Amino acid sequence: MAKPMTKTQLVAALADEMGADKKTASAALDALAGVITKEVAGGGAVTIPGVGKVYCRERPERMVRNPATGDQFKKEADKVVKVTIAKALKDSVNG
């Protein structure tokens, strides 16, 4: 498996695609991350065309087990961030 792209590499590639400088690309990436964070934290969802959908899902209270000790305890309800990958992206990877 290849190493994941770093933020510096992503900003450089984004700047190249946009035909802009790295400062503008970095600001765009930071703005996108801020918008997604604010929307998902507020209970909404964000669809990025061609990439996927980012949303928050609530998990109910449940019993879990500590694998080291075998003790069972009740875990409170919580929220998790989920990403559903777009079909176009799946098809481009698999096809």
Side-chain angles (χ1 to χ4, degrees), residues 32-48 52-58 79-84:
L32 179 64
V35 168
I36 291 171
T37 301
K38 190 184 308 179
E39 184 65 25
V40 173
V46 176
T47 300
I48 304 169
K53 180 178 179 182
V54 182
Y55 59 97
C56 183
R57 184 178 76 82
E58 293 187 22
K79 296 178 182 179
V80 291
V81 176
K82 294 285 191 175
V83 178
T84 301

Side-chain angles (χ1 to χ4, degrees), residues 1-3 13 16-17 23 29 34 38 41-42 55 61 67 71 75 83:
M1 187 168 129
K3 283 186 170 182
D16 190 43
E17 282 289 320
K23 186 175 182 180
L29 185 62
K38 190 184 308 179
Y55 59 97
E61 186 178 88
D71 294 338
K75 184 167 181 187
V83 178

Side-chain angles (χ1 to χ4, degrees), residues 57-77:
R57 184 178 76 82
E58 293 187 22
R59 287 197 296 195
E61 186 178 88
R62 62 200 185 279
M63 294 298 291
V64 295
R65 186 178 69 84
N66 181 341
T69 63
D71 294 338
Q72 284 195 339
F73 59 95
K74 187 177 289 191
K75 184 167 181 187
E76 299 297 321

